[in-house]
Amino acid sequence: MFTRAWIRWLLLHGLLRSYLLWSARRGDPLGQIAFGQDRLLGSSRYIEEIRQRGRIPRMSGAWVTADHELCRLILRDRRFGVVSPNHPAMPKLLRWVLAKTDPGLPNLGEPPSMLVTDPPDHTRYRRLVRQVFSPKAIATLEERVVEVTDDLLERLESKPRPDLIGDFSAQLPVAIIAEVLGLPADMHSTLLKWGDTGAPLLERGLTWTTYRHAIEDLAEVKRYFDHHFDELTAEPGDDVLSMLVTGGELTRREQVANAALLLDAGFLTTVNMLGNGIALLTSHPEQLDLLAAQPELWPGAVEEILRYDCPVRMTGRLANCDVDIADQHIKSGSLVLLSLAGANHDPAVFPDPERFDVTRANAAEHVSFSGGIHSCLGARLARMEGAVSLRALFERYPDLRLDGPPIPYPLINLHAYRSMPAKLPAG
């Protein structure tokens, strides 16, 4: 088992990590970000480097774009597929070795997770669960979100130095998605631990230690959901996971993989959005003053938070065929990297993009939730949770201040905070 895991890490992460280190020494911007001080793919330096080279230049062995129009186009274009170890563009030998070393774990970044699966399989998976995240379904959850938020804010009063990530931003979305999936409340801390170690698997170039810890937790996730689906098969309920069982279309592995995805899609993005939002709003008190005077602006403020500081900085696509786009000929099998952070700061779409403005009229045109058939399933839920909980937090504690700089996750593509100590004067 150890040898297979190490070979899999080497092929999916280790070789890329070595390449990025080599390219950093040669002055390549992507490599320098991976191993330098400025470690975010959404950094203004990296985005500017892309823009200076054109709308979709060739960099680091891939096509890269920070152009809003091109990102939206490619995300919706069926001539491009998700980056997956199973994609036909991958070398046959690589696909063979990966198939032989596949541990069958519910890895978010590998099939049969719908995140990295194209039609027709993706269509089967999404059809079974999309109604749970429909506008009507989200509207019915809003009252519960208000209740959970109020309870969390009450608890904060007893904490002299609360952590706004661990004590608030993480607790709300995990409580809501656990209820939607039919998982017990005593699982919340375990679910958060699984999300914490599993999130890095959405990146590439991980260290062996990070990868090993993540797959160890995935083995625990698999054991839990295997047992849970056995129980649901015998006695299904009216929750989402029961739908995966009673739908009759999925194998057990597909059930477990997409249960893990629904869990993480239901809270990871929201945790990161809330943390990023608190950091932005506390550092822009004039924007908080606007929201206090005009609370109807809160939904737009959430869109601006997502635009200005999106949790996922970049995504990728593989060309399924030869494609001519923006005066470039992209050959079949080529990797195209889409800078979501760059698209969200495209001055052609968002005037003065480096200005954080909760009144920005077109903030919702951001691409932070991806687009096309792979747009984030939990986007509506995240938006609603953000508007409800951030408004309640700052109305309850209008003088909220951070107690020192927040501590970010040491990741390249995912921008989020691990901890955010705060001071909460009585409000």
Side-chain angles (χ1 to χ4, degrees):
M1 178 66 179
F2 176 88
T3 302
R4 292 200 303 272
W6 187 86
I7 292 172
R8 197 169 186 83
W9 164 80
L10 180 67
L11 295 176
L12 292 175
H13 299 278
L15 293 176
L16 175 60
R17 186 175 179 83
S18 296
Y19 169 75
L20 290 173
L21 181 58
W22 172 78
S23 64
R25 291 170 177 166
R26 297 177 62 247
D28 180 86
L30 180 57
Q32 288 180 330
I33 286 173
F35 291 96
Q37 296 298 315
D38 188 359
R39 300 195 65 219
L40 280 179
L41 285 171
S43 69
S44 57
R45 180 175 67 85
Y46 185 62
I47 292 171
E48 184 58 28
E49 180 84 24
I50 297 171
R51 294 204 203 285
Q52 287 181 358
R53 299 193 186 192
R55 294 186 72 194
I56 183 166
R58 184 95 172 153
M59 297 170 63
S60 307
W63 298 96
V64 189
T65 183
D67 184 284
H68 184 273
E69 180 186 7
L70 292 184
C71 284
R72 286 176 62 95
L73 174 65
I74 293 169
L75 287 170
R76 289 162 171 75
D77 195 327
R78 295 296 185 91
R79 294 176 297 175
F80 295 91
V82 291
V83 180
S84 164
N86 293 351
H87 195 282
M90 295 294 183
K92 289 183 179 180
L93 179 59
L94 174 64
R95 282 184 280 155
W96 182 85
V97 174
L98 290 176
K100 292 296 182 182
T101 58
D102 186 355
L105 298 176
N107 188 329
L108 301 182
E110 297 182 23
S113 162
M114 74 174 78
L115 187 67
V116 287
T117 307
D118 282 321
D121 288 335
H122 177 271
T123 307
R124 289 192 299 118
Y125 304 155
R126 191 153 180 140
R127 182 172 58 239
L128 287 174
V129 297
R130 63 187 174 191
Q131 66 189 45
V132 179
F133 297 99
S134 67
K136 181 179 179 180
I138 299 306
T140 64
L141 286 172
E142 185 166 353
E143 183 177 349
R144 181 60 181 145
V145 170
V146 171
E147 292 174 356
V148 175
T149 299
D150 288 344
D151 181 59
L152 290 171
L153 294 178
E154 285 285 343
R155 296 184 197 179
L156 288 183
E157 288 188 352
S158 64
K159 298 178 182 292
R161 190 172 180 263
D163 175 6
L164 293 181
I165 301 299
D167 296 326
F168 182 72
S169 298
Q171 297 299 326
L172 169 64
V174 79
I176 297 303
I177 197 61
E179 290 185 13
V180 170
L181 298 181
L183 302 176
D186 60 10
M187 283 290 295
H188 290 181
S189 60
T190 300
L191 300 178
L192 287 170
K193 180 177 78 75
W194 288 345
D196 189 51
T197 55
L201 291 170
L202 294 172
E203 303 218 346
R204 286 290 181 259
L206 298 179
T207 65
W208 163 243
T209 300
T210 300
Y211 179 79
R212 178 169 56 83
H213 288 164
I215 62 171
E216 286 171 355
D217 264 9
L218 285 185
E220 185 181 338
V221 174
K222 183 179 184 301
R223 286 192 295 270
Y224 175 81
F225 279 115
D226 273 337
H227 176 71
H228 189 65
F229 278 117
D230 284 341
E231 293 180 332
L232 293 180
T233 300
E235 190 174 348
D238 57 0
D239 53 77
V240 179
L241 299 186
S242 293
M243 292 180 187
L244 296 182
V245 171
T246 57
E249 297 183 24
L250 306 186
T251 65
R252 172 54 57 84
R253 183 175 183 186
E254 290 173 328
Q255 291 170 355
V256 171
N258 286 289
L261 175 65
L262 288 171
L263 173 65
D264 285 340
F267 79 85
L268 275 179
T269 299
T270 309
V271 172
N272 299 340
M273 177 194 69
L274 294 179
N276 294 351
I278 293 170
L280 278 172
L281 290 166
T282 53
S283 62
H284 292 80
E286 77 287 353
Q287 299 297 303
L288 275 175
D289 290 342
L290 280 172
L291 291 166
Q294 303 176 67
E296 68 275 9
L297 294 176
W298 272 108
V302 169
E303 302 295 350
E304 177 68 350
I305 289 166
L306 288 162
R307 180 202 72 84
Y308 191 89
D309 199 2
C310 59
V312 179
R313 319 296 279 184
M314 182 171 284
T315 190
R317 292 292 185 267
L318 288 169
N320 293 326
C321 59
D322 287 4
V323 180
D324 291 315
I325 187 169
D327 298 322
Q328 300 284 8
H329 181 70
I330 299 176
K331 293 184 178 180
S332 178
S334 296
L335 174 64
V336 181
L337 297 176
L338 310 174
S339 174
L340 304 181
N344 288 347
H345 286 249
D346 188 339
V349 178
F350 305 104
D352 194 7
E354 303 308 315
R355 177 170 54 89
F356 177 62
D357 179 8
V358 299
T359 68
R360 188 180 294 273
N362 68 338
E365 294 180 30
H366 65 77
V367 291
S368 297
F369 289 128
S370 189
I373 63 171
H374 287 282
S375 59
C376 178
L377 261 177
R380 289 191 185 96
L381 179 59
R383 285 181 163 110
M384 184 268 285
E385 289 177 327
V388 168
S389 62
L390 289 174
R391 175 179 177 177
L393 174 67
F394 286 102
E395 287 183 347
R396 180 72 169 268
Y397 301 106
D399 298 319
L400 181 153
R401 294 293 180 269
L402 300 189
D403 191 10
I407 302 171
Y409 275 97
L411 301 173
I412 300 171
N413 194 30
L414 299 180
H415 186 222
Y417 294 103
R418 185 189 298 275
S419 178
M420 189 174 289
K423 294 179 180 178
L424 300 178

mmCIF file of all heavy atoms in Angstrom, residues 56 70 73 77 79-80 319 321-331:
data_model
loop_
_atom_site.group_PDB
_atom_site.id
_atom_site.type_symbol
_atom_site.label_atom_id
_atom_site.label_comp_id
_atom_site.label_asym_id
_atom_site.label_seq_id
_atom_site.Cartn_x
_atom_site.Cartn_y
_atom_site.Cartn_z
ATOM 1 N N ILE A 56 -3.866 35.149 -23.979
ATOM 2 C CA ILE A 56 -3.714 33.748 -23.591
ATOM 3 C C ILE A 56 -2.314 33.281 -24.021
ATOM 4 O O ILE A 56 -2.142 32.549 -25.001
ATOM 5 C CB ILE A 56 -4.856 32.858 -24.166
ATOM 6 C CG1 ILE A 56 -4.713 31.417 -23.686
ATOM 7 C CG2 ILE A 56 -4.961 32.972 -25.682
ATOM 8 C CD1 ILE A 56 -5.955 30.564 -23.909
ATOM 9 N N LEU A 70 -12.283 35.270 -21.941
ATOM 10 C CA LEU A 70 -11.772 33.962 -22.326
ATOM 11 C C LEU A 70 -12.015 32.918 -21.242
ATOM 12 O O LEU A 70 -12.325 31.759 -21.540
ATOM 13 C CB LEU A 70 -10.279 34.051 -22.645
ATOM 14 C CG LEU A 70 -9.902 34.854 -23.895
ATOM 15 C CD1 LEU A 70 -8.398 34.779 -24.136
ATOM 16 C CD2 LEU A 70 -10.667 34.350 -25.124
ATOM 17 N N LEU A 73 -15.581 31.883 -21.504
ATOM 18 C CA LEU A 73 -15.777 31.122 -22.729
ATOM 19 C C LEU A 73 -15.276 29.688 -22.577
ATOM 20 O O LEU A 73 -15.982 28.724 -22.892
ATOM 21 C CB LEU A 73 -15.065 31.816 -23.884
ATOM 22 C CG LEU A 73 -15.044 31.073 -25.225
ATOM 23 C CD1 LEU A 73 -16.447 30.927 -25.781
ATOM 24 C CD2 LEU A 73 -14.141 31.794 -26.223
ATOM 25 N N ASP A 77 -17.140 25.923 -22.737
ATOM 26 C CA ASP A 77 -16.895 25.327 -24.056
ATOM 27 C C ASP A 77 -16.658 23.823 -23.928
ATOM 28 O O ASP A 77 -15.705 23.381 -23.287
ATOM 29 C CB ASP A 77 -15.673 26.001 -24.692
ATOM 30 C CG ASP A 77 -15.557 25.729 -26.182
ATOM 31 O OD1 ASP A 77 -15.954 24.630 -26.614
ATOM 32 O OD2 ASP A 77 -15.048 26.608 -26.901
ATOM 33 N N ARG A 79 -15.480 21.888 -25.922
ATOM 34 C CA ARG A 79 -14.248 21.447 -26.569
ATOM 35 C C ARG A 79 -13.105 21.324 -25.563
ATOM 36 O O ARG A 79 -12.019 20.849 -25.898
ATOM 37 C CB ARG A 79 -13.865 22.412 -27.689
ATOM 38 C CG ARG A 79 -14.837 22.440 -28.873
ATOM 39 C CD ARG A 79 -14.432 23.488 -29.889
ATOM 40 N NE ARG A 79 -14.483 24.844 -29.331
ATOM 41 C CZ ARG A 79 -14.090 25.929 -29.984
ATOM 42 N NH1 ARG A 79 -13.604 25.823 -31.208
ATOM 43 N NH2 ARG A 79 -14.176 27.124 -29.411
ATOM 44 N N PHE A 80 -13.375 21.738 -24.327
ATOM 45 C CA PHE A 80 -12.399 21.606 -23.247
ATOM 46 C C PHE A 80 -12.981 20.712 -22.163
ATOM 47 O O PHE A 80 -14.172 20.797 -21.841
ATOM 48 C CB PHE A 80 -12.053 22.975 -22.654
ATOM 49 C CG PHE A 80 -11.356 23.890 -23.615
ATOM 50 C CD1 PHE A 80 -12.073 24.770 -24.416
ATOM 51 C CD2 PHE A 80 -9.971 23.870 -23.734
ATOM 52 C CE1 PHE A 80 -11.443 25.618 -25.306
ATOM 53 C CE2 PHE A 80 -9.322 24.711 -24.631
ATOM 54 C CZ PHE A 80 -10.057 25.582 -25.422
ATOM 55 N N ALA A 319 -7.689 20.598 -23.653
ATOM 56 C CA ALA A 319 -8.356 20.699 -24.954
ATOM 57 C C ALA A 319 -8.708 19.308 -25.465
ATOM 58 O O ALA A 319 -7.844 18.428 -25.568
ATOM 59 C CB ALA A 319 -7.459 21.420 -25.948
ATOM 60 N N CYS A 321 -9.841 18.757 -28.440
ATOM 61 C CA CYS A 321 -9.568 18.770 -29.871
ATOM 62 C C CYS A 321 -8.755 20.024 -30.163
ATOM 63 O O CYS A 321 -8.517 20.844 -29.270
ATOM 64 C CB CYS A 321 -10.879 18.767 -30.675
ATOM 65 S SG CYS A 321 -11.949 20.178 -30.304
ATOM 66 N N ASP A 322 -8.307 20.187 -31.385
ATOM 67 C CA ASP A 322 -7.635 21.428 -31.758
ATOM 68 C C ASP A 322 -8.631 22.585 -31.678
ATOM 69 O O ASP A 322 -9.768 22.471 -32.159
ATOM 70 C CB ASP A 322 -7.084 21.333 -33.185
ATOM 71 C CG ASP A 322 -5.857 20.440 -33.272
ATOM 72 O OD1 ASP A 322 -5.481 19.840 -32.235
ATOM 73 O OD2 ASP A 322 -5.271 20.354 -34.359
ATOM 74 N N VAL A 323 -8.211 23.675 -31.058
ATOM 75 C CA VAL A 323 -9.101 24.826 -30.869
ATOM 76 C C VAL A 323 -8.355 26.104 -31.245
ATOM 77 O O VAL A 323 -7.216 26.317 -30.813
ATOM 78 C CB VAL A 323 -9.576 24.930 -29.402
ATOM 79 C CG1 VAL A 323 -10.499 26.137 -29.230
ATOM 80 C CG2 VAL A 323 -10.273 23.660 -28.951
ATOM 81 N N ASP A 324 -8.983 26.952 -32.043
ATOM 82 C CA ASP A 324 -8.454 28.285 -32.340
ATOM 83 C C ASP A 324 -9.209 29.293 -31.482
ATOM 84 O O ASP A 324 -10.444 29.394 -31.561
ATOM 85 C CB ASP A 324 -8.634 28.622 -33.819
ATOM 86 C CG ASP A 324 -7.740 27.775 -34.719
ATOM 87 O OD1 ASP A 324 -6.557 27.627 -34.374
ATOM 88 O OD2 ASP A 324 -8.234 27.253 -35.731
ATOM 89 N N ILE A 325 -8.467 30.023 -30.662
ATOM 90 C CA ILE A 325 -9.097 30.964 -29.751
ATOM 91 C C ILE A 325 -8.164 32.148 -29.513
ATOM 92 O O ILE A 325 -6.958 31.959 -29.303
ATOM 93 C CB ILE A 325 -9.470 30.266 -28.422
ATOM 94 C CG1 ILE A 325 -10.279 31.176 -27.519
ATOM 95 C CG2 ILE A 325 -8.248 29.753 -27.695
ATOM 96 C CD1 ILE A 325 -10.884 30.444 -26.317
ATOM 97 N N ALA A 326 -8.700 33.353 -29.628
ATOM 98 C CA ALA A 326 -7.937 34.586 -29.398
ATOM 99 C C ALA A 326 -6.641 34.594 -30.206
ATOM 100 O O ALA A 326 -5.563 34.898 -29.676
ATOM 101 C CB ALA A 326 -7.649 34.763 -27.913
ATOM 102 N N ASP A 327 -6.734 34.211 -31.468
ATOM 103 C CA ASP A 327 -5.596 34.224 -32.397
ATOM 104 C C ASP A 327 -4.502 33.226 -32.014
ATOM 105 O O ASP A 327 -3.348 33.359 -32.451
ATOM 106 C CB ASP A 327 -4.986 35.631 -32.497
ATOM 107 C CG ASP A 327 -5.961 36.656 -33.034
ATOM 108 O OD1 ASP A 327 -6.742 36.297 -33.937
ATOM 109 O OD2 ASP A 327 -5.957 37.802 -32.550
ATOM 110 N N GLN A 328 -4.846 32.235 -31.222
ATOM 111 C CA GLN A 328 -3.897 31.182 -30.855
ATOM 112 C C GLN A 328 -4.464 29.831 -31.285
ATOM 113 O O GLN A 328 -5.676 29.601 -31.198
ATOM 114 C CB GLN A 328 -3.640 31.164 -29.343
ATOM 115 C CG GLN A 328 -3.068 32.448 -28.782
ATOM 116 C CD GLN A 328 -1.588 32.622 -29.105
ATOM 117 O OE1 GLN A 328 -1.009 31.855 -29.876
ATOM 118 N NE2 GLN A 328 -0.965 33.633 -28.520
ATOM 119 N N HIS A 329 -3.572 28.951 -31.719
ATOM 120 C CA HIS A 329 -3.978 27.594 -32.086
ATOM 121 C C HIS A 329 -3.581 26.661 -30.941
ATOM 122 O O HIS A 329 -2.395 26.427 -30.698
ATOM 123 C CB HIS A 329 -3.314 27.152 -33.386
ATOM 124 C CG HIS A 329 -3.713 25.770 -33.814
ATOM 125 N ND1 HIS A 329 -4.977 25.463 -34.266
ATOM 126 C CD2 HIS A 329 -3.004 24.592 -33.834
ATOM 127 C CE1 HIS A 329 -5.041 24.170 -34.564
ATOM 128 N NE2 HIS A 329 -3.862 23.633 -34.305
ATOM 129 N N ILE A 330 -4.575 26.146 -30.242
ATOM 130 C CA ILE A 330 -4.350 25.270 -29.092
ATOM 131 C C ILE A 330 -4.581 23.836 -29.545
ATOM 132 O O ILE A 330 -5.682 23.465 -29.962
ATOM 133 C CB ILE A 330 -5.292 25.640 -27.934
ATOM 134 C CG1 ILE A 330 -5.019 27.087 -27.500
ATOM 135 C CG2 ILE A 330 -5.112 24.688 -26.764
ATOM 136 C CD1 ILE A 330 -5.954 27.607 -26.431
ATOM 137 N N LYS A 331 -3.541 23.028 -29.478
ATOM 138 C CA LYS A 331 -3.626 21.652 -29.962
ATOM 139 C C LYS A 331 -4.368 20.757 -28.978
ATOM 140 O O LYS A 331 -4.376 21.000 -27.774
ATOM 141 C CB LYS A 331 -2.220 21.104 -30.216
ATOM 142 C CG LYS A 331 -1.492 21.787 -31.356
ATOM 143 C CD LYS A 331 -0.139 21.133 -31.605
ATOM 144 C CE LYS A 331 0.573 21.784 -32.785
ATOM 145 N NZ LYS A 331 1.894 21.165 -33.034
#
